[in-house]
Amino acid sequence: VQLVESGGGLVEAGGSLRLSCVVSGFTFDDHAIGWFRQAPGKEREGVSCINTRDGETSYADSVKGRFTISRDNAKNTVYLHMNNLKPEDTAVYYCAADFFPFAALKSMKSNDYTYWGQGTQVTVSS
């Protein structure tokens, strides 16, 4: 399983970015693909995840109403649309996947996910 993130960058507060995660070697069935982030000096935290079969989603409270996760099964790609970005959203963003059912993974505990991408930096300036 390989995951490759892209789309990070530098943006001003209030701006938007769209992150992409292309997944290979992974069947888009009743599994979860999640987005996590890690800021300097902080623990990795779950941001959002999606059931690759039916599109059920889960979000951290800190991003609800601002971030939207989506999938394109034909392209084996999961997106994270980030709007109204804040300086506290600055972090390295990772996508992750696992073969366990979505119900077991939607709480977004990083230790529950086996496969990880290399990360993409998002920096939000004030």
Side-chain angles (χ1 to χ4, degrees):
V1 177
Q2 286 190 316
L3 302 96
V4 180
E5 305 97 331
S6 62
L10 173 64
V11 64
E12 292 184 350
S16 299
L17 282 174
R18 187 185 76 166
L19 305 183
S20 300
C21 174
V22 178
V23 187
S24 58
F26 186 83
T27 302
F28 273 41
D29 202 336
D30 181 23
H31 304 312
I33 292 180
W35 284 98
F36 293 78
R37 66 186 181 187
Q38 187 165 20
K42 295 188 176 181
E43 292 187 356
R44 188 172 298 185
E45 63 172 348
V47 174
S48 182
C49 62
I50 189 166
N51 185 327
T52 52
R53 182 185 65 185
D54 63 11
E56 182 183 354
T57 59
S58 180
Y59 295 94
D61 288 342
S62 58
V63 305
K64 281 181 182 177
R66 300 189 298 123
F67 290 11
T68 302
I69 191 170
S70 64
R71 78 202 192 285
D72 184 334
N73 287 18
K75 296 182 178 180
N76 278 16
T77 302
V78 173
Y79 303 98
L80 185 67
H81 308 260
M82 305 186 294
N83 297 318
N84 191 22
L85 282 160
K86 304 176 181 180
E88 52 264 43
D89 294 318
T90 295
V92 178
Y93 283 70
Y94 301 88
C95 63
D98 200 275
F99 289 105
F100 278 99
F102 178 76
L105 298 170
K106 65 181 181 180
S107 62
M108 297 182 289
K109 297 177 183 177
S110 59
N111 287 344
D112 291 339
Y113 287 74
T114 303
Y115 305 99
W116 291 82
Q118 82 288 351
T120 185
Q121 176 71 46
V122 171
T123 303
V124 184
S125 63
S126 57

